[in-house]
Amino acid sequence: MAINYSVEYKEGILHVISKGFDEDVNDVINYLNNIAQKALEYKSRLILCDERELEYRLTTIDTFQIASYASKFSKYLVKIAIVFNEKFYDDIKFYQTVTNNRGLQVQVFNNVQDAEKWLKLSL
């Protein structure tokens, strides 16, 4: 099972719940493209990704590549909050740093409530 996800739009925020694992760069790029497309459809510039049940299996180089790719969405998206599983702390912090350094505002959180609060500051 690769990445499985569901999308729901509520109160100005696109909520994404992801499960499975990310061991293929192309699958992750498709995942990012699909989320960006949904954000455009809903005219949402705020995204909350709940990835607590997503296992990160990519290498550091792959993560760098994915983060660099995701940064191209910075002209369409204002903020992305990612709720993550603590065991992948180093991976997600690296992703956050790379995306932020390239203009995409990404913040990572341990819980959904803090992520929503941060996103709602932009509503």
Side-chain angles (χ1 to χ4, degrees):
M1 162 175 76
I3 301 173
N4 292 313
Y5 62 94
S6 62
V7 176
E8 179 182 10
Y9 179 76
K10 59 184 176 184
E11 300 176 7
I13 299 172
L14 187 70
H15 292 256
V16 180
I17 298 174
S18 305
K19 299 177 181 184
F21 54 83
D22 70 353
E23 66 180 1
D24 182 80
V25 172
N26 291 326
D27 285 346
V28 177
I29 286 174
N30 287 334
Y31 168 70
L32 295 172
N33 286 335
N34 290 336
I35 291 171
Q37 182 61 40
K38 287 292 185 187
L40 289 172
E41 285 174 24
Y42 286 105
K43 296 179 176 56
S44 177
R45 297 179 53 107
L46 305 173
I47 299 174
L48 191 158
C49 292
D50 182 347
E51 296 185 351
R52 290 175 291 180
E53 294 187 44
L54 183 63
E55 183 178 334
Y56 303 154
R57 294 184 180 176
L58 295 176
T59 66
T60 301
I61 297 295
D62 291 341
T63 300
F64 179 84
Q65 180 184 352
I66 295 298
S68 298
Y69 180 84
S71 298
K72 78 177 194 164
F73 298 116
S74 64
K75 56 188 159 193
Y76 309 108
L77 304 172
V78 174
K79 289 182 173 180
I80 300 173
I82 302 173
V83 182
F84 66 99
N85 182 318
E86 275 293 323
K87 70 181 180 180
F88 301 114
Y89 177 82
D90 291 338
D91 297 312
I92 198 64
K93 287 301 280 187
F94 178 67
Y95 181 85
Q96 175 184 284
T97 299
V98 174
T99 54
N100 285 323
N101 286 345
R102 284 159 181 70
L104 182 59
Q105 195 171 1
V106 172
Q107 185 68 37
V108 298
F109 297 89
N110 296 328
N111 63 73
V112 172
Q113 296 78 14
D114 289 344
E116 286 178 338
K117 187 185 306 183
W118 180 73
L119 289 170
K120 287 180 179 180
L121 293 172
S122 296
L123 288 176

